[in-house]
Amino acid sequence: MQNRNANKQPRLPSLDLLKGFEAAARMLSFTKAGDELYLSQSAVSRQIQDLEDQLGVRLFERRHRALELTEAGQALYAASAQVLATMRSVTDRLRATRSRRTLAVTTTQSFASLWLIPRLAGFTRTHADLDVRISAETRVLDLERDGLDLAIRHGPATLAGPHALRLFGERVFPVCSPKLMKDAERPLREPADLRHHILLQYDDPEGRHPWMHWKTWLEIERLVDLRPAGSLTFTGYDQIIPAAIAGHGVALGRSPLVRKLLASGELVAPFKRSADPARAYYAIVSKHSAGRPEVADFVAWIREEAKKEPR
C-alpha cells in the first residue's frame, strides 16, 4: 500500500512570519521591525521563535543589544526578500489594472510639503483618472520591494544612480519673516548681525545632513565664533519654514523649497550670499514601472516644473 504522506509537500511558513523575519533580518532589530510592521517588539520576537521552531534551526544569534544572522538566517533572508519583493510587485500591478489607476511616489517630507504638493494640481488636473499617492518618508524606501513607481531623492550625484534624472540643484541661504527685517533694533544687514537673532536649527545629532546646519553655513562665512541670541530646534525641515514665516527666528532656506515663499513675500532673504552643497534633486523610476504611460507623464511634468527653477 502506497504511503499517503510520501508525496506530501512540507508545510511552508506563513506569509506573516516571513514578513516579520525579513524586516528583522534587514534591520537587525526586532524593535525597528515592529515599528515598520505596526507590531510590538515582543510580537516580532515571538514570530521569529515560531519560525525557528517550525524550521528547526536558529536564524539569529542574539547578542547583547545586537542581532546577527546565522548562516541559515542569511539563506532564508535572501529567499524571503526575493519572494516578498515579487509578491509586492505582482500585487501592485494587479491593483494598477483596476479602472482607477494609481501612481505611487516617494520623497522626503520637506520636498513633499514645500515643493511637490503646492504644484501637484497642475498634474492632477490633466490626469483626473489617476490616483496619485505620495509617501513622504525620512527613510529611503526600496521602489521594487515597496511597490512604488517613482522616487524624488536629494543627494550627491555619486549616490543618485546611473538612471536617475537630475531635476535641479540646491543653494542654501538665510531666510526670515519680513517683520524681522523691519526690526530697527536688530538689523539684518550682514551675516554677523545674526548674533542678535534666534536661529532655527535642524535636529541632526548624528550629523547626517551637514548642509542643513547653521554651523556649516557660518563656517563658510568665516563666522565660526558667532553666538546667536538663541536657537529653536526642530525634527523636520518642513517644521522650520513655517516657524520662520511666523517670525520665530532665521532659518536656512533651500532654494527649490522656498522660492515660491520668497516670491510671495512670506519670506525674505536678507543677504545675497548662499552656499552650494553640491547636492541635487533626482527623479528615479522603478524598473517595474518604467513602461507605464502615466509614469512617463509624471516624469515629463516634473521635469517641466523643474525647468522653472533658477539655475
Side-chain angles (χ1 to χ4, degrees):
M1 185 180 209
Q2 186 177 4
N3 188 343
R4 293 182 179 180
N5 293 324
N7 298 319
K8 188 175 182 180
Q9 295 292 327
R11 185 167 62 93
L12 292 173
S14 72
L15 186 59
D16 283 341
L17 292 186
L18 287 179
K19 285 172 61 180
F21 166 75
E22 188 273 343
R26 173 164 34 89
M27 295 182 280
L28 291 177
S29 168
F30 292 167
T31 301
K32 291 179 180 179
D35 290 342
E36 180 177 297
L37 300 172
Y38 301 100
L39 297 172
S40 66
Q41 183 270 348
S42 59
V44 174
S45 180
R46 286 195 298 272
Q47 285 187 344
I48 301 303
Q49 185 64 59
D50 288 346
L51 186 57
E52 289 178 331
D53 290 343
Q54 288 183 24
L55 299 175
V57 294
R58 291 180 64 82
L59 300 172
F60 291 94
E61 292 292 346
R62 294 156 176 83
R63 307 189 187 282
H64 180 62
R65 295 187 178 180
L67 287 177
E68 184 177 329
L69 284 168
T70 63
E71 185 175 348
Q74 292 174 3
L76 184 61
Y77 174 56
S80 61
Q82 183 177 0
V83 168
L84 291 172
T86 301
M87 288 292 294
R88 291 185 179 105
S89 178
V90 170
T91 53
D92 182 68
R93 291 177 188 176
L94 291 175
R95 291 189 184 107
T97 61
R98 296 178 302 180
S99 58
R100 185 168 182 83
R101 298 169 299 159
T102 63
L103 176 68
V105 181
T106 178
T107 189
T108 62
Q109 294 169 338
S110 55
F111 188 85
S113 62
L114 296 172
W115 196 94
L116 181 59
I117 293 173
R119 293 166 171 79
L120 193 57
F123 177 77
T124 56
R125 271 197 302 268
T126 57
H127 295 78
D129 63 332
L130 188 62
D131 182 8
V132 180
R133 301 179 181 180
I134 308 296
S135 179
E137 294 271 358
T138 54
R139 60 195 175 100
V140 176
L141 299 179
D142 186 294
L143 298 182
E144 313 300 332
R145 187 190 68 232
D146 295 314
L148 298 164
D149 299 303
L150 180 138
I152 302 169
R153 291 178 178 154
H154 174 249
T158 52
L159 296 180
H163 304 296
L165 301 172
R166 189 181 188 277
L167 300 176
F168 41 70
E170 178 177 79
R171 301 193 72 83
V172 178
F173 49 89
V175 294
C176 65
S177 164
K179 64 184 179 183
L180 284 187
M181 288 284 290
K182 297 175 182 177
D183 189 342
E185 295 183 1
R186 298 182 300 161
L188 271 171
R189 300 189 185 95
E190 58 184 40
D193 292 333
L194 289 168
R195 67 184 184 276
H196 302 301
H197 292 269
I198 292 173
L199 301 186
L200 306 180
Q201 305 272 13
Y202 177 67
D203 186 22
D204 183 26
E206 297 181 3
R208 295 180 179 177
H209 308 95
W211 66 94
M212 294 171 61
H213 293 191
W214 272 107
K215 180 178 181 290
T216 302
W217 194 88
L218 292 170
E219 285 175 353
I220 294 172
E221 290 296 317
R222 299 181 180 179
L223 293 169
V224 293
D225 295 326
L226 185 140
R227 296 294 179 267
S231 65
L232 288 174
T233 303
F234 301 84
T235 57
Y237 187 76
D238 54 331
Q239 302 162 5
I240 292 176
I241 295 305
I245 294 172
H248 296 312
V250 185
L252 280 176
R254 297 164 63 186
S255 54
L257 305 187
V258 299
R259 185 175 69 85
K260 283 196 170 185
L261 296 170
L262 292 170
S264 68
E266 293 176 81
L267 289 175
V268 294
F271 319 123
K272 294 182 179 180
R273 299 178 178 90
S274 63
D276 184 350
R279 302 174 74 87
Y281 289 84
Y282 297 87
I284 303 168
V285 177
S286 71
K287 294 177 182 178
H288 74 260
S289 301
R292 292 175 57 192
E294 58 268 30
V295 175
D297 289 349
F298 187 86
V299 171
W301 168 79
I302 203 168
R303 293 184 78 175
E304 285 301 312
E305 289 296 312
K307 290 178 182 178
K308 301 174 184 177
E309 293 294 337
R311 299 294 167 176

